[in-house]
Amino acid sequence: MQAIHRRAVACQQASPHSEYIQFLHIALGSLRELDSQLIIARVVDLADKNLFTPLLNEVEEMQSILVASLNKLNFLGS
């Protein structure tokens, strides 16, 4: 998760506004894919169910942060 944040900061500093927004959309898509894969792994019992709740919570928190960031950037860009 920290790698996504560090990459986002680096991209924001090095790229124009539209490229940064595109990166955030890609990162959000990646998190949603991870969320889906974790849910599937939980359903088919690939690992201890106690491991999934904290991990899913982190993924959902990062998704919320990215959505809020995109909303704010889109609002500021309007």
Side-chain angles (χ1 to χ4, degrees):
M1 300 299 169
Q2 290 178 351
I4 292 172
H5 175 70
R6 282 193 301 267
R7 176 71 176 115
V9 169
C11 185
Q12 182 181 24
Q13 293 170 349
S15 300
H17 186 75
S18 62
E19 289 181 23
Y20 180 61
I21 290 175
Q22 182 181 10
F23 167 77
L24 291 179
H25 280 289
I26 293 167
L28 182 58
S30 296
L31 281 171
R32 287 185 172 155
E33 178 67 23
L34 175 59
D35 188 56
S36 298
Q37 295 297 324
L38 287 171
I39 291 168
I40 291 168
R42 182 178 58 187
V43 168
V44 297
D45 292 325
L46 287 178
D48 183 5
K49 292 186 186 225
N50 294 328
L51 298 174
F52 288 104
T53 301
L55 202 51
L56 282 171
N57 289 340
E58 271 194 63
V59 169
E60 289 173 6
E61 182 180 351
M62 286 299 300
Q63 287 178 14
S64 295
I65 291 168
L66 286 175
V67 168
S69 297
L70 283 164
N71 288 339
K72 184 173 183 178
L73 288 169
N74 287 331
F75 176 75
L76 292 174
S78 308

